[in-house]
Amino acid sequence: MNKESWLVAVGAGRWQVPGIKAARMAGLNVIAVDAESNAQGFHHANRFVEADIRNSSAVIAAISEAGIRPDGAIAFCNEAGMLTTAEIRKHFELPCTGIEVTKALTNKGIQRAKWTEANVPGPKWVVVRLDSEVPPALEKIGGTVIFKPVDSAG
């Protein structure tokens, strides 16, 4: 007996539409998750649920309430959904690199620390959390600096 295969698409905005379409063309059923009620990817998925993709507990609950046991989970072109995707994989015991690896892939501070530890060449860097930490950081780095959030593509 063939079991239906379900893929959870964490994020269903315009950048996720090609991935959702490709999964459908490959014969997978897709349940798309996004907080936006009119997310474009919802029109291309078999099922969809509205949930904040940064709230893994809410997403896992919504998938379970839909009666779906996923075979996979992915965040197509979507860094914001990667940690939730890892949590889904862990919860449903799906293949996964793990939460810590996902954090390292999505948090620039953790990435830089691991690269520095491994002697990977790169620019000077520092993570600041408070406005008062900026002047000493600027002095430590010197020259031209780029400010980026550690946890998004900004």
Side-chain angles (χ1 to χ4, degrees):
M1 177 157 112
N2 288 340
K3 174 190 173 300
E4 286 188 329
S5 295
W6 281 93
L7 177 69
V8 179
V10 180
R14 73 180 213 178
W15 298 110
Q16 289 75 50
V17 169
I20 293 169
K21 284 181 171 181
R24 293 287 313 279
M25 287 178 60
L28 299 172
N29 293 298
V30 176
I31 180 167
V33 183
D34 203 292
E36 187 64 42
S37 62
N38 60 351
Q40 292 179 25
F42 286 172
H43 302 290
H44 304 283
N46 300 79
R47 305 224 356 228
F48 64 88
V49 293
E50 286 181 45
D52 179 356
I53 63 170
R54 293 179 190 266
N55 183 340
S56 59
S57 297
V59 172
I60 291 168
I63 295 165
S64 297
E65 288 171 17
I68 290 173
R69 171 66 170 88
D71 299 286
I74 192 165
F76 294 113
C77 299
N78 175 358
E79 189 175 290
M82 288 180 66
L83 190 56
T84 292
T85 300
E87 294 283 359
I88 291 166
R89 291 174 178 163
K90 179 180 175 186
H91 177 82
F92 289 103
E93 299 177 343
L94 302 172
C96 182
T97 56
I99 304 299
E100 293 308 312
V101 171
T102 302
K103 286 179 183 178
L105 291 170
T106 58
N107 182 301
K108 292 172 199 70
I110 296 171
Q111 285 175 11
R112 294 281 182 193
K114 290 192 177 293
W115 293 345
T116 299
E117 183 180 305
N119 295 314
V120 174
K124 294 179 187 175
W125 65 278
V126 65
V127 173
V128 297
R129 291 178 177 79
L130 304 170
D131 291 348
S132 62
E133 296 173 333
V134 173
L138 292 174
E139 192 164 315
K140 176 182 178 184
I141 293 173
T144 303
V145 299
I146 297 172
F147 284 91
K148 293 183 69 74
V150 295
D151 63 351
S152 66

